[in-house]
Amino acid sequence: MSTTDLPASHAELMDGVYRWQRHIYDLTRKYYLLGRDRLIAGLDVPAGGTVLELGCGTGRNIILAARRYPGARFFGLDISAEMLETATAALAREGLSGRVTLARGDATNFDAKALFGVESFDRVFVSYSLSMIPGWEKTVSAALAALSPGGSLHVVDFGQQEALPSWFRKLLRGWLKKFHVEPRQSLRAILDSESARVGASVRFKTLYRGYSWLAVSKIAI
Ligand SMILES: C[S@@+](CC[C@H](N)C(=O)[O-])C[C@H]1O[C@@H](n2cnc3c(N)ncnc32)[C@H](O)[C@@H]1O
């Protein structure tokens, strides 16, 4: 596993959040990080393709995607050494260590060639991480910049709960705040503007009455 320069305070914060949580993360998040399996199903990775997850956490998504797309190579980046420890163990248990490379790094500013020995990827995805990354807009630009021609960026995260009752929205927001999670109101606008800058087209979906948002930004060949 490799590392690059990290924003120390955010890396420490994430390690603090996940030091104990990582042991119950997959079990508990199953019930409220909705739309992740839909994102994986929509990756449609080409044969022999390369896939990068930014903010890969426990490796849960990479494991499911690696099973679904057996010919592909996978890469995972996370700022938390604690989460990466869990991901490394999970990949070894699944016999996937040879097909997946993990690295510690900052998703707002990373050098894929230095970390993974790969310049660009057929698919990049970000699942419930933009809502935890300070300066997350830079992750959107970095992800688009890391795509090969014809590649696509896939994002799933909390929406604005726009069609859900206001009491639910308030309760959810208060609870997410305890974990340093902030649903990004301008997610769609930033995806649209950053994609337009690089000539990519965006498909945006609202899931579960705005509980989650799912987007795909596709670069022209
Ligand atoms: C809510 S978890 C999502 C994990 C996984 N993607 C999933 O869907 O289960 C957010 C992850 O983003 C990581 N993270 C937060 N800020 C980051 C940053 N600046 N760079 C890379 N990873 C970051 C955290 O360490 C954590 O593993």
Side-chain angles (χ1 to χ4, degrees):
M1 198 186 299
S2 356
T3 58
T4 46
D5 290 344
L6 298 173
S9 61
H10 183 59
E12 272 164 33
L13 178 69
M14 291 298 106
D15 272 341
V17 168
Y18 290 116
R19 187 155 293 125
W20 305 114
Q21 282 285 322
R22 68 191 171 99
H23 300 293
I24 55 161
Y25 182 93
D26 286 341
L27 197 67
T28 51
R29 270 52 172 192
K30 182 162 128 180
Y31 301 103
Y32 69 91
L33 299 189
L34 308 178
R36 292 184 297 172
D37 294 345
R38 215 156 142 170
L39 179 150
I40 292 166
L43 286 174
D44 194 20
V45 183
T50 48
V51 183
L52 168 66
E53 181 176 8
L54 297 174
C56 63
T58 60
R60 179 258 185 207
N61 298 325
I62 289 184
I63 289 169
L64 292 177
R67 283 192 202 137
R68 193 177 178 115
Y69 306 102
R73 278 188 301 146
F74 288 84
F75 303 85
L77 182 90
D78 205 284
I79 204 163
S80 161
E82 298 282 345
M83 281 302 229
L84 287 169
E85 191 177 319
T86 293
T88 303
L91 290 168
R93 271 197 311 276
E94 296 287 328
L96 288 168
S97 308
R99 270 176 67 207
V100 182
T101 308
L102 299 177
R104 191 170 186 212
D106 177 7
T108 64
N109 177 24
F110 61 93
D111 178 343
K113 179 80 178 154
L115 290 170
F116 302 115
V118 174
E119 302 255 12
S120 67
F121 304 85
D122 297 301
R123 303 288 180 263
V124 177
F125 70 96
V126 198
S127 161
Y128 285 95
S129 294
L130 292 178
S131 52
M132 282 190 102
I133 299 178
W136 60 275
E137 299 90 337
K138 283 185 254 154
T139 297
V140 173
S141 348
L144 288 166
L147 288 173
S148 305
S152 49
L153 165 65
H154 302 244
V155 173
V156 68
D157 216 311
F158 292 105
Q160 293 293 300
Q161 301 83 46
E162 48 275 28
L164 287 162
S166 57
W167 63 262
F168 177 83
R169 181 174 198 256
K170 211 168 155 196
L171 216 69
L172 179 69
R173 293 302 182 93
W175 187 63
L176 292 177
K177 219 171 178 172
K178 293 187 200 306
F179 296 94
H180 308 276
V181 175
E182 189 189 329
R184 304 303 188 189
Q185 190 168 14
S186 57
L187 178 60
R188 186 175 192 166
I190 295 294
L191 276 170
D192 281 344
S193 60
E194 288 304 298
S195 299
R197 230 172 30 82
V198 297
S201 55
V202 182
R203 267 189 296 126
F204 192 93
K205 272 201 180 100
T206 293
L207 306 180
Y208 316 113
R209 302 172 71 194
Y211 182 92
S212 311
W213 286 346
L214 178 67
V216 180
S217 173
K218 190 164 172 44
I219 299 266
I221 296 178

